[in-house]
Amino acid sequence: MKNLIYTCFAVLILAACSSNESAKNALPIYGNREPVTKTVNGKTVTDTIYQTIPKFSFIDQYGDSITNKSLDGNIYVADFFFTSCPNICPVMHRNMLKVYNTFNKVGDFKIVSYTIDPKHDSVNVLKQYAEKLGVKDKNWLFLQGKKDETYKLAKGYMVQARENVHDGFFILVDKQKRIRGSYLGTDPAQVDKMIEDIKTLQAEPQQHIAQ
Amino acid sequence: MRAFLVICFFSVAATVLTSCSEQDLEYKRAYTNGSLVYQQHCQNCHGNDGEGLSALIPPLTDSIYYKKNSAQLACLIKNGSSGLMIVGDKAYTDKMPPSGLAPIEISQVLTYIRNSFGNKHGIVSVDEVNKDLEGCN
């Protein structure tokens, strides 16, 4: 009997620990949020509306149109770059290649790189770049659109992009298009952390998919 | 006479030894400074271990390429490069920008890359670099 009680306690403690553990591991949700109250079945409930990635419509390296809708149902990582960038981009994409190779076979995961220099980075230039990097499928999209729209969209991802200038962040977006992480793409340690966080996000229970 | 021989022997030995270690010191200095130049000017593209980046940027591990193009390396680092380049059986066509490095820094960074990543060449002196730079086109 005594043994049984001990075992019971042990199991309880373990269970408590592990639920703590998963709460600690849950990724934060970034950006603005606002509470909304609505009436469901005669009851007033309060819901939270989180900031999500704004709508966009761009062209990928194969010349196909890609919108925010095309990414529905995927966890994805976004960054801003340009192919002729001599300083941080090679480092960012050397690190991103590791992310690509880690998740390329799992499905429901994409990488999206927006060029901030659409004038030089035509569809053809982006295609060549992708191929030379070793990307031959649609799991890593290289997108180009109008400059102003690109710069505006960057704000939606909470990063900086303007004429010839962009920061080196990788932005992790969940299936509800909420920002769940931001990592310095030039730092291999932060990129490794992102790889772990993507796995955490993949294991997160499915909630309703917004929009 | 015997004393003279002994002195002679020791002084020769001493010169050989000191000149050896002087050379050694020179090499070590060039290599150490070269690693700093590399970190600042080259590492982002060519990688921590000189591994390059897929088919975009060539690796710095091909000793045969260095041997064949030894006299052109200083100019390449000074002026950059664009167009087709074959390194270790693979074709590269992207642009390497001019580095803006002084001849002494070029000799240091060359000493570094030609003795790292599996390469073993020894020092690349400033005199050599200056001579090679005269031939740049």
Side-chain angles (χ1 to χ4, degrees):
Chain A
M1 186 57 203
K2 225 175 171 183
N3 272 346
L4 193 64
I5 292 175
Y6 282 140
T7 326
C8 193
F9 267 119
V11 168
L12 273 179
I13 287 168
L14 277 177
C17 281
S18 67
S19 72
N20 265 347
E21 195 61 7
S22 70
K24 199 176 70 198
N25 280 348
L27 304 180
I29 300 171
Y30 292 97
N32 300 323
R33 58 187 65 187
E34 48 184 283
V36 284
T37 43
K38 54 186 175 188
T39 317
V40 180
N41 297 334
K43 279 189 203 147
T44 313
V45 291
T46 308
D47 221 349
T48 310
I49 303 276
Y50 293 95
Q51 177 175 332
T52 54
I53 303 303
K55 287 199 176 95
F56 64 85
S57 178
F58 283 62
I59 308 283
D60 72 12
Q61 73 264 39
Y62 306 104
D64 297 334
S65 155
I66 298 289
T67 70
N68 49 306
K69 280 255 167 245
S70 326
L71 296 166
D72 281 357
N74 288 286
I75 291 167
Y76 73 96
V77 173
D79 72 0
F80 289 80
F81 86 114
F82 55 111
T83 62
S84 57
C85 147
N87 35 54
I88 64 172
C89 301
V91 186
M92 288 168 67
H93 283 177
R94 184 180 292 115
N95 292 334
M96 192 71 100
L97 205 52
K98 187 173 170 194
V99 180
Y100 173 76
N101 289 328
T102 307
F103 296 106
N104 196 24
K105 297 280 178 286
V106 302
D108 296 358
F109 177 79
K110 299 224 180 291
I111 299 169
V112 179
S113 293
Y114 297 92
T115 176
I116 63 161
D117 183 15
K119 199 168 150 210
H120 176 268
D121 292 343
S122 63
V123 167
N124 198 37
V125 168
L126 290 176
K127 179 150 190 276
Q128 298 245 336
Y129 180 85
E131 273 177 9
K132 283 184 194 168
L133 200 56
V135 176
K136 297 194 169 87
D137 53 38
K138 282 187 161 254
N139 292 336
W140 187 347
L141 298 168
F142 296 85
L143 301 186
Q144 69 122 265
K146 289 207 183 79
K147 245 188 209 173
D148 314 347
E149 281 171 31
T150 312
Y151 300 164
K152 219 169 80 196
L153 184 63
K155 290 205 185 89
Y157 282 102
M158 308 206 301
V159 297
Q160 298 279 331
R162 52 181 195 276
E163 197 74 38
N164 286 322
V165 183
H166 61 95
D167 52 30
F169 289 105
F170 292 170
I171 303 301
L172 178 57
V173 180
D174 68 12
K175 291 186 179 177
Q176 288 95 290
K177 307 216 194 295
R178 304 173 302 188
I179 297 176
R180 302 299 294 274
S182 164
Y183 312 82
L184 202 55
T186 47
D187 179 0
Q190 289 202 26
V191 176
D192 284 344
K193 169 80 168 68
M194 183 175 83
I195 289 176
E196 289 314 306
D197 285 355
I198 292 168
K199 291 177 186 162
T200 305
L201 206 50
Q202 286 172 328
E204 201 169 72
Q206 288 280 342
Q207 296 158 19
H208 69 285
I209 300 200
Q211 278 135 19
Chain B
M1 187 59 202
R2 197 137 158 228
F4 175 73
L5 272 180
V6 170
I7 290 168
C8 185
F9 173 79
F10 275 112
S11 52
V12 167
T15 341
V16 168
L17 279 176
T18 51
S19 68
C20 258
S21 68
E22 234 165 66
Q23 257 179 26
D24 205 37
L25 195 67
E26 214 180 313
Y27 166 77
K28 274 192 188 136
R29 282 194 181 140
Y31 184 89
T32 312
N33 284 327
S35 84
L36 298 177
V37 175
Y38 183 79
Q39 281 168 32
Q40 270 178 25
H41 297 273
C42 326
Q43 186 163 300
N44 60 331
C45 282
H46 289 285
N48 296 5
D49 304 314
E51 75 272 27
L53 177 58
S54 303
L56 286 165
I57 298 163
L60 300 179
T61 50
D62 184 3
S63 297
I64 298 164
Y65 177 90
Y66 289 148
K67 211 167 268 165
K68 266 198 211 146
N69 299 281
S70 202
Q72 279 82 51
L73 292 176
C75 293
L76 165 77
I77 289 167
K78 177 167 187 258
N79 298 328
S81 161
S82 60
L84 181 67
M85 182 184 276
I86 309 283
V87 186
D89 286 349
K90 281 205 196 143
Y92 298 87
T93 53
D94 281 81
K95 232 171 81 180
M96 168 160 151
S99 68
L101 295 177
I104 176 82
E105 293 170 302
I106 294 177
S107 80
Q108 290 163 348
V109 81
L110 274 175
T111 300
Y112 178 70
I113 62 173
R114 298 199 64 176
N115 295 281
S116 302
F117 323 130
N119 304 306
K120 196 110 207 82
H121 171 78
I123 192 164
V124 177
S125 71
V126 195
D127 292 344
E128 239 175 298
V129 166
N130 275 324
K131 196 176 115 257
D132 290 345
L133 285 178
E134 277 169 25
C136 292
N137 40 25

